[in-house]
Amino acid sequence: MALPTPRAAAPPVDQYSKPRAKLLTSEIEKPSLDDRAYRVIQLPNKLEALLVHDAETDKASAAMDVYTGSYSDRDDMLGMAHAVEHLLLMGTKKYPKENDYMQYLNANSGWANAYTASTSTNFYFEVAAAPDIKSPTLEDSDNSTPDQLEQSPLYGSLDRFAQFFIAPLFDPSTLDRELRAVDSENKNNLQSDSRRLLQVGKSLSNPDHHYCRFSTGNLETLRDNPKERGIDVREEFMKFHEREYSANRMKLVVLGRESLDVLESWVVDMFWAVPNKDLPPTKWDHVPLLTEKELLTQVFMKPVMDNHNLDISFPFLAEDELYESHPSTYLSHLIGHEGPGSVLAFLKDKGWADNLFAGACPVCPGSAFFTINVGLTEDGLEHYKEVVKIIFQYIALVKETPPQEWIVDELKSMAEVFFRFSEKTGASDFTSGISATMQTPVPREWLLSGSYLIRKFDPEQILRAMGYLRPDNFRISISSQKFPGDWDQKEKWYGTEYKYEKVPQEFLAEIKHAAENKESLEGLYLPCENEFIPTDLGVTKATVDKPAKAPKLIRNDDLARVWWKKDDTFWVPKANVYITLRNPLAHSTPSNAVKTVLYCSLVNDLLALSTYDATLAGLSYNLYSNTVGMTLSLSGFNDKMPVLLEKLLVAMRDLDVKSSRFKVVKDQLLKGYQNWELLEPYYQVKEVMRLLTRERHWTANDCLVELRSLEAEDVKTFFPELLRQMHFELFVHGNISKADVLKMTSLLISTTDPRPLRPGQFEYRRGLVLPENANFVYPQTLVDPQNLNNCTAYFVHVGDSSDRMLWTQTLLLQQMTDEAVFSQLRTKEQLGYTVFSGTQTSPTRVGYRILVQGERSTEFMESRIEEFLRGFNDVLKAMSEEEFEGHKRSLVNKQLEKHKNLGEESQWLWGQIDSEYYDFDQVELDVAQVKLLTKSNLLDFYSRYIFPSAPLRSKLSVHLLAKKKSTTTPDPPPDPPEPPTTTVAETPASLTSPNSTTKKLSRTSFISLFQRYTKTLPSTLLAFSRHLLVVLRIIKPHVAKAAPVTEAVNEEDRKVVKEVEVIKDVQRFKAGLPISLGITPVMELEEFLDVGEQGEVEASGS
């Protein structure tokens, strides 16, 4: 019986007998290096589309932004828009299989996602681009055969994508599962402070504005309560789609290698049938976010994390139509400035603040806030009223000074530079972002530049914007675990404790007095001109046959190893610099590790004031600790980069550790270590895995214990020792010459003046090796008392990561199981919202892992993971050669994906240097190895390393256990055993549900079922006897009919799986594991040495 479809049917075919699109523009303002072609069209049904031809892209993408979101939810079914976003993807009339879309994308190196916002829902995907062949013209495409069209994965993806907006099924068999997925997503976010605190603010806003609503939805709002009222929820979701989804509300972006004509023909053919209901746009400019009742209030909230934050929110003008002047940018630049004279500099000098953000926060079309958020210190929390008054005094200072054209000119200049030299981003990042921009009134010629450029100085609009920052138009929010302590209310959806009241009259009077700036504070003043704005934006462009794969080694001695690669691909006036400052002292003990972190933080803190202008001018830097010492990184426009580097090095050498700033930085770090245990479990499990698989790893708790006893004097005496002996490894990539790189190296060495490390001081990175047939479990109870989610990380050790055969086989397994794991364990079995799989690496080892986070018990999660792995063995056996080759092709496409910008290439090259493998040919060598893999290879690999009873399988799982037990998601009971109807040699039926009884059982599935079932046997002898008879009846047919086993996995099924060994003592566990060999470079370093004209090595360094 066919499933009923929503009533929003496609228009009759003859409504647009020969649909043609209307050209809106093909003149798109774009960056100077942008080689793409653009065209904006409108279909007869008023759907608007931006088409993008990129001949060089290796990923195609499309995104659809629909102008409806959570603000369109029914009052009594909150979360409807979000639920429809989920349900829309579960099959269509043309493609009824629920995971057809995701399977198709996965088979073509692709993936997809979606999100629901207040007034829009955004769907997007990316997939392998068409083969590198000449794109046909529009006339050619009309005569193309289906086989020719299917050469492009974009065609098949786009056809499936279009059907979500034409004829979705809202398949009733998927309804409950997807509602549970929405509920699981909500529960996943229950301990997220950003959501918790935002929802308190929303709940206390104007009840007539839909901003006040709960938008995610859960089972209570979307299923249980509606059912109690007799509502057919599926029918309501279909009505929502019919009521809110209309072609005139949809903005589509399609990017591919195909010509614009071909893309246009595809879009017209596939999307013309999307129904158009001529729905009007919805704006909220007539409804205030805060009324007189909500204004001049203060709300004190208790967060999960130990942080102190002050937030001042002003209802603000909507800038939807002000895309030429962006008046809020002027205010955010001044109020959010971090240089001398700024609010933040003043507060940091008093020891009251760590950070400050100021800027406009659009809520929806017609509504916005201007928000000033301050990260407070302990002292700042005590003086929060003074902090508020200082902010209002600075606002008064800004208002007293007429809008300054030179400030706007400076902002315009930098915006133009940023846009001119902006580089490509990920395909789906681009399409998703631009489709959302298309919902704004920005002219279509400015779709790419509208959010970047300030086109005019408009003092009237700046003054108008200033007028909203008044002492009678704000709300204060303070979040802290310690203050005030007498929270007396609890927010409905997230359970956040809070206290809500009017701002006391005395405090309000003080604020108004400060806003009049009658007593100006010395130390507050407007910023000066920015000396870091780049003036030399020239690019030294050389003729190259093809880009170099590897950097050159231009110096290699006992003090420094220097790598350099002149940009030969992107030709932008930018550079990226990475410097490892190696010293084994930095990480030798937990105390030293913490002192190194403190030192880096103090340097960054000191420089924040003097280098803020550099960050505004497109330069960024960071100094951070690592396991071998420290890393200093710089990136941005190369013109003033040497000046910034010198500032950084002098600050590192001459750091004056002041007790006042040390206290602030130490408090920040204390909170960071304490808050680590409150992160989502799947974040924590990464660190636990590192602890168990690395020879030496200091935990957050190790560091916390040491930090508590450290004082400023400890860092003062420590960091000179850290700098006294060093080895530097530099990598410079971009628009910088070899001579300039060597000058930077000399500056580094002369400024720090270290002695070289001795050979024995170089640490060798190693990993711990799990023994064969290991079956370890490490359980750990989570600290957060309110967290509902358990987490199981299931890791199977494979071998040495430098073994290219094992490495590529693991990658291919990841490719094959990626969609299958998600579909089975998350979508069908609903084990949790967070489910993923793939490779896991340590410095020298590689393995395969599956991670699940949800409310089910960790034991149950692990049992389902193992059942999946058993079942996938049969999937792999039954896989056709065509499908197997398709997975190889998809993996090859992913491996060959080009770097999209200078930063991506720099990070990849630095990864090879930092790993010490120097495997710059890795992509090509991996691809060559993948192409040689056969199905037989992978079956052998799977049967040796992955299959749960494989002879060489080494398994380690981490079970993170929630303190708070779920009351809504109990584990299903064990599957009741039934006599199998097949012999051992027959293929088992797919195990699609943890509750289903599988009538066809392989020997492996039977053994698993038997082991699970016997664990639940009753204790009484009579009951035991009855159960034993059932078990014997199951065994008998197998014993009688079993044929000699010849296949590898079935042979190993005869072996008894090693009993689970619970890790109770981590140090004893690690002491019993062998240590891997150290890292060996893939190529000798001499292979990369740059040779001078006379044949002499220019890397001698002395």
Side-chain angles (χ1 to χ4, degrees):
M1 176 179 170
L3 294 170
T5 56
R7 287 188 290 273
V13 175
D14 60 358
Q15 182 173 338
Y16 313 117
S17 54
K18 287 205 180 253
R20 298 188 64 83
K22 174 184 176 183
L23 175 66
L24 299 184
T25 186
S26 57
E27 300 298 322
I28 302 290
E29 187 174 31
K30 61 184 185 178
S32 59
L33 299 174
D34 189 343
D35 56 0
R36 292 167 170 169
Y38 299 89
R39 180 184 298 170
V40 184
I41 61 173
Q42 186 181 65
L43 274 57
N45 58 0
K46 298 187 180 179
L47 186 150
E48 192 176 353
L50 169 66
L51 312 174
V52 186
H53 164 64
D54 186 342
E56 300 301 317
T57 188
D58 42 31
K59 280 295 180 75
S61 177
M64 179 77 86
D65 194 276
V66 185
Y67 191 80
T68 187
S70 61
Y71 286 10
S72 301
D73 291 346
R74 273 181 51 157
D75 293 343
D76 58 352
M77 286 187 68
L78 300 179
M80 286 189 75
H82 184 206
V84 169
E85 172 221 306
H86 276 247
L87 290 162
L88 210 62
L89 308 182
M90 294 292 107
T92 62
K93 187 175 181 181
K94 184 173 182 180
Y95 299 100
K97 186 178 176 183
E98 70 176 72
N99 62 337
D100 177 87
Y101 173 58
M102 298 303 293
Q103 281 188 334
Y104 184 87
L105 293 176
N106 185 62
N108 289 281
S109 311
W111 59 277
N113 211 337
Y115 67 84
T116 302
S118 57
T119 58
S120 69
T121 307
N122 194 284
F123 304 85
Y124 53 95
F125 71 83
E126 67 177 51
V127 71
D132 193 11
I133 57 175
K134 179 180 179 297
S135 294
T137 63
L138 178 60
E139 290 73 19
D140 293 336
S141 70
D142 289 338
N143 299 318
S144 297
T145 66
D147 287 343
Q148 290 173 319
L149 293 174
E150 288 289 356
Q151 286 183 347
S152 170
L154 176 60
Y155 180 85
S157 305
L158 202 60
D159 192 37
R160 288 162 172 81
F161 189 66
Q163 294 303 310
F164 298 139
F165 311 101
I166 297 172
L169 291 178
F170 290 92
D171 186 345
S173 69
T174 69
L175 178 64
D176 192 67
R177 278 195 277 110
E178 286 309 303
L179 293 184
R180 286 183 179 275
V182 170
D183 187 68
S184 182
E185 181 178 350
N186 179 61
K187 287 175 177 173
N188 211 48
N189 296 326
L190 287 179
Q191 295 299 97
S192 166
D193 273 334
S194 60
R195 290 178 179 266
R196 292 167 65 89
L197 305 182
L198 174 64
Q199 188 61 47
V200 173
K202 290 170 65 176
S203 299
L204 298 176
S205 64
N206 181 5
D208 293 331
H209 196 297
H210 285 191
Y211 174 69
C212 73
R213 293 175 161 190
F214 170 57
S215 57
T216 306
N218 57 28
L219 285 179
E220 177 188 347
T221 65
L222 295 170
R223 188 193 68 182
D224 299 343
N225 287 350
K227 281 188 175 181
E228 287 177 5
R229 300 193 303 271
I231 294 175
D232 183 333
V233 294
R234 175 174 178 264
E235 182 69 18
E236 289 304 316
F237 294 137
M238 292 165 65
K239 287 179 181 177
F240 181 96
H241 184 267
E242 181 180 358
R243 181 177 70 247
E244 299 292 338
Y245 278 60
S246 173
N248 73 305
R249 284 184 165 184
M250 297 182 184
K251 309 299 180 184
L252 175 69
V253 179
V254 181
L255 181 154
R257 278 184 181 170
E258 293 76 11
S259 70
L260 292 176
D261 286 345
V262 169
L263 293 176
E264 179 174 331
S265 70
W266 288 359
V267 167
V268 172
D269 288 347
M270 295 177 191
F271 290 90
W272 73 271
V274 176
N276 176 33
K277 300 148 193 166
D278 280 320
L279 299 178
T282 304
K283 293 189 73 174
W284 295 88
D285 48 1
H286 62 291
V287 184
L289 285 165
L290 304 179
T291 67
E292 185 177 346
K293 179 182 177 182
E294 294 87 31
L295 287 168
L296 306 184
T297 57
Q298 56 186 21
V299 55
F300 301 92
M301 301 171 286
K302 184 180 180 181
V304 173
M305 300 288 186
D306 184 16
N307 294 315
H308 313 308
N309 281 283
L310 164 69
D311 185 279
I312 307 175
S313 296
F314 302 87
F316 195 62
L317 84 165
E319 296 182 281
D320 308 353
E321 306 285 346
L322 303 177
Y323 44 78
E324 291 188 83
S325 58
H326 299 286
S328 67
T329 303
Y330 183 89
L331 296 178
S332 61
H333 171 67
L334 295 180
I335 299 171
H337 206 277
E338 298 180 18
S342 66
V343 174
L344 180 60
F346 190 88
L347 294 175
K348 288 178 77 170
D349 189 56
K350 286 184 170 291
W352 290 352
D354 299 325
N355 54 75
L356 184 147
F357 162 84
C361 299
V363 170
C364 64
S367 300
F369 283 111
F370 189 92
T371 299
I372 303 170
N373 182 275
V374 185
L376 298 173
T377 64
E378 298 285 343
D379 288 344
L381 181 64
E382 293 180 11
H383 295 88
Y384 83 91
K385 291 183 179 180
E386 284 77 5
V387 173
V388 172
K389 289 186 286 185
I390 289 167
I391 290 170
F392 271 97
Q393 282 185 292
Y394 191 85
I395 291 172
L397 176 64
V398 172
K399 288 182 175 182
E400 284 176 0
T401 310
Q404 300 293 294
E405 188 167 7
W406 74 265
I407 293 177
V408 175
D409 286 343
E410 200 174 79
L411 294 172
K412 284 173 61 179
S413 174
M414 280 314 306
E416 287 165 2
V417 170
F418 286 141
F419 179 69
R420 178 183 168 191
F421 295 106
S422 60
E423 300 174 78
K424 292 179 182 178
T425 58
S428 59
D429 290 339
F430 173 84
T431 57
S432 177
I434 297 298
S435 65
T437 300
M438 290 175 73
Q439 297 288 8
T440 69
V442 65
R444 277 23 199 163
E445 292 79 7
W446 296 349
L447 282 176
L448 305 186
S449 61
S451 60
Y452 275 92
L453 300 183
I454 300 173
R455 301 176 189 276
K456 67 179 182 181
F457 172 57
D458 191 337
E460 290 184 6
Q461 291 296 345
I462 292 174
L463 289 171
R464 181 184 166 209
M466 286 181 184
Y468 285 85
L469 310 187
R470 306 189 310 269
D472 63 347
N473 185 51
F474 71 92
R475 177 171 68 186
I476 296 174
S477 302
I478 295 175
S479 62
S480 171
Q481 288 187 345
K482 301 175 182 177
F483 181 80
D486 58 343
W487 308 280
D488 54 5
Q489 298 186 65
K490 186 172 284 191
E491 193 276 321
K492 177 179 180 179
W493 303 107
Y494 290 85
T496 307
E497 294 179 78
Y498 69 93
K499 180 180 180 180
Y500 183 54
E501 62 188 21
K502 279 288 187 178
V503 176
Q505 285 300 314
E506 182 181 354
F507 182 28
L508 188 58
E510 293 173 357
I511 291 173
K512 290 180 178 178
H513 182 77
E516 295 170 0
N517 203 25
K518 292 180 178 177
E519 298 176 6
S520 59
L521 291 172
E522 185 179 350
L524 288 179
Y525 50 89
L526 299 184
C528 302
E529 292 186 17
N530 190 342
E531 64 178 17
F532 277 93
I533 291 179
T535 54
D536 181 4
L537 295 169
V539 176
T540 306
K541 191 170 183 178
T543 302
V544 294
D545 294 332
K546 62 180 180 178
K549 294 179 184 178
K552 296 177 180 179
L553 184 58
I554 60 175
R555 173 172 175 169
N556 187 24
D557 55 41
D558 57 359
L559 268 178
R561 185 180 297 145
V562 183
W563 301 85
W564 165 70
K565 185 175 188 290
K566 175 72 176 68
D567 174 31
D568 53 8
T569 304
F570 303 101
W571 311 115
V572 289
K574 299 178 182 180
N576 297 299
V577 177
Y578 300 89
I579 307 170
T580 291
L581 300 92
R582 187 187 296 267
N583 186 328
L585 183 67
H587 204 70
S588 59
T589 67
S591 178
N592 283 357
V594 175
K595 283 184 280 191
T596 304
V597 173
L598 283 168
Y599 168 68
C600 293
S601 299
L602 286 163
V603 172
N604 288 328
D605 179 74
L606 171 69
L607 288 166
L609 188 70
S610 60
T611 61
Y612 182 69
D613 279 347
T615 63
L616 290 178
L619 281 169
S620 63
Y621 68 90
N622 193 18
L623 176 68
Y624 56 94
S625 68
N626 59 41
T627 57
V628 298
M630 298 177 290
T631 297
L632 175 63
S633 64
L634 298 88
S635 65
F637 295 105
N638 60 275
D639 181 24
K640 304 292 174 66
M641 190 171 282
V643 178
L644 178 60
L645 177 61
E646 185 172 10
K647 277 181 176 283
L648 294 169
L649 295 174
V650 170
M652 291 174 64
R653 182 193 65 193
D654 299 338
L655 177 67
D656 180 14
V657 183
K658 295 181 178 179
S659 297
S660 58
R661 289 314 299 169
F662 176 83
K663 181 179 182 298
V664 171
V665 170
K666 178 180 175 179
D667 285 346
Q668 283 180 312
L669 195 55
L670 277 168
K671 290 175 186 174
Y673 289 137
Q674 290 164 349
N675 288 337
W676 183 85
E677 294 182 320
L678 300 174
L679 293 172
E680 285 194 63
Y682 77 91
Y683 282 117
Q684 296 187 46
V685 83
K686 300 173 188 175
E687 286 298 302
V688 178
M689 275 290 185
R690 290 190 183 103
L691 171 67
L692 297 173
T693 58
R694 297 191 177 184
E695 185 178 9
R696 186 173 65 193
H697 180 77
W698 312 130
T699 67
N701 191 59
D702 293 334
C703 296
L704 179 61
V705 170
E706 296 296 330
L707 177 59
R708 288 187 175 123
S709 64
L710 293 177
E711 300 297 336
E713 192 61 34
D714 296 310
V715 179
K716 279 184 185 179
T717 57
F718 173 74
F719 86 82
E721 289 296 319
L722 193 62
L723 300 181
R724 187 165 289 128
Q725 196 174 17
M726 285 277 184
H727 180 269
F728 303 108
E729 183 142 27
L730 288 79
F731 170 50
V732 182
H733 178 214
N735 189 44
I736 294 184
S737 69
K738 174 182 174 181
D740 285 340
V741 174
L742 291 172
K743 286 179 183 178
M744 292 170 74
T745 307
S746 297
L747 176 66
L748 173 64
I749 293 172
S750 64
T751 305
T752 55
D753 192 25
R755 291 185 293 109
L757 293 178
R758 304 308 302 159
Q761 291 180 283
F762 283 76
E763 291 198 11
Y764 297 98
R765 296 177 182 174
R766 301 172 184 268
L768 298 177
V769 181
L770 296 177
E772 294 179 2
N773 201 25
N775 192 5
F776 293 111
V777 171
Y778 179 60
Q780 182 173 300
T781 301
L782 294 160
V783 170
D784 186 354
Q786 297 303 315
N787 168 62
L788 281 169
N789 290 308
N790 299 306
C791 182
T792 296
Y794 184 100
F795 170 70
V796 182
H797 173 256
V798 170
D800 190 332
S801 56
S802 64
D803 184 325
R804 209 169 296 275
M805 178 65 124
L806 290 180
W807 168 252
T808 53
Q809 287 174 321
T810 310
L811 289 177
L812 185 55
L813 177 64
Q814 172 182 297
Q815 157 64 30
M816 289 178 166
T817 59
D818 183 45
E819 189 277 334
V821 166
F822 188 87
S823 176
Q824 182 65 32
L825 302 184
R826 182 186 185 272
T827 304
K828 294 177 181 176
E829 298 194 17
Q830 296 284 300
L831 295 187
Y833 181 73
T834 303
V835 175
F836 50 82
S837 61
T839 58
Q840 177 173 308
T841 59
S842 66
T844 61
R845 316 307 290 170
V846 64
Y848 174 81
R849 67 145 177 194
I850 296 177
L851 184 145
V852 179
Q853 176 179 295
E855 294 178 76
R856 306 286 197 190
S857 72
T858 54
E859 293 84 357
F860 183 73
M861 291 175 181
E862 177 150 339
S863 73
R864 298 314 302 166
I865 291 170
E866 295 215 323
E867 200 63 54
F868 171 83
L869 293 175
R870 290 187 183 92
F872 190 78
N873 177 64
D874 298 288
V875 171
L876 188 56
K877 286 180 187 177
M879 187 178 292
S880 67
E881 286 297 328
E882 181 182 4
E883 187 178 357
F884 183 82
E885 290 299 318
H887 280 297
K888 285 172 56 178
R889 188 164 53 250
S890 183
L891 176 58
V892 166
N893 288 337
K894 289 177 182 176
Q895 294 296 104
L896 292 176
E897 188 174 341
K898 301 171 187 173
H899 301 299
K900 301 172 190 66
N901 50 58
L902 182 73
E904 279 193 11
E905 184 182 0
S906 296
Q907 288 174 11
W908 190 87
L909 292 169
W910 175 244
Q912 292 299 331
I913 295 169
D914 189 51
S915 72
E916 301 180 68
Y917 278 113
Y918 307 107
D919 191 5
F920 300 110
D921 291 322
Q922 181 183 354
V923 170
E924 291 75 14
L925 295 174
D926 283 358
V927 165
Q929 183 63 62
V930 169
K931 290 180 178 179
L932 296 175
L933 294 178
T934 65
K935 181 180 170 182
S936 176
N937 293 150
L938 203 65
L939 278 169
D940 181 62
F941 167 82
Y942 198 87
S943 69
R944 286 174 179 267
Y945 299 106
I946 309 298
F947 194 78
S949 56
L952 301 182
R953 190 191 78 140
S954 300
K955 189 270 296 181
L956 167 64
S957 57
V958 174
H959 292 186
L960 299 186
L961 312 171
K963 283 185 176 178
K964 189 173 184 178
K965 301 304 179 185
S966 171
T967 58
T968 58
T969 316
D971 293 340
D975 300 346
E978 287 189 8
T981 58
T982 67
T983 64
V984 179
E986 291 182 273
T987 303
S990 298
L991 302 173
T992 58
S993 168
N995 296 314
S996 65
T997 300
T998 305
K999 295 186 177 180
K1000 294 183 179 181
L1001 294 175
S1002 69
R1003 188 185 196 91
T1004 304
S1005 298
F1006 165 73
I1007 291 171
S1008 169
L1009 194 57
F1010 177 80
Q1011 289 174 335
R1012 288 174 53 204
Y1013 185 67
T1014 52
K1015 289 179 183 178
T1016 66
L1017 290 177
S1019 58
T1020 66
L1021 182 60
L1022 180 60
F1024 177 83
S1025 301
R1026 289 172 177 169
H1027 281 273
L1028 186 58
L1029 287 173
V1030 174
V1031 173
L1032 289 172
R1033 281 198 293 270
I1034 296 171
I1035 294 174
K1036 186 176 179 180
H1038 278 280
V1039 174
K1041 297 181 181 181
V1045 183
T1046 57
E1047 293 179 307
V1049 168
N1050 286 340
E1051 179 68 40
E1052 298 307 327
D1053 283 351
R1054 293 177 170 177
K1055 298 188 176 183
V1056 178
V1057 179
K1058 186 174 180 180
E1059 285 295 317
V1060 172
E1061 186 173 342
V1062 178
I1063 301 170
K1064 297 178 181 178
D1065 183 330
V1066 172
Q1067 294 310 311
R1068 186 173 180 180
F1069 162 73
K1070 294 171 70 169
L1073 299 181
I1075 300 172
S1076 72
L1077 297 175
I1079 291 171
T1080 302
V1082 171
M1083 295 177 65
E1084 295 297 329
L1085 293 181
E1086 287 74 13
E1087 300 277 346
F1088 303 105
L1089 284 171
D1090 190 33
V1091 180
E1093 293 180 3
Q1094 307 302 318
E1096 297 177 357
V1097 175
E1098 297 184 5
S1100 61
S1102 56

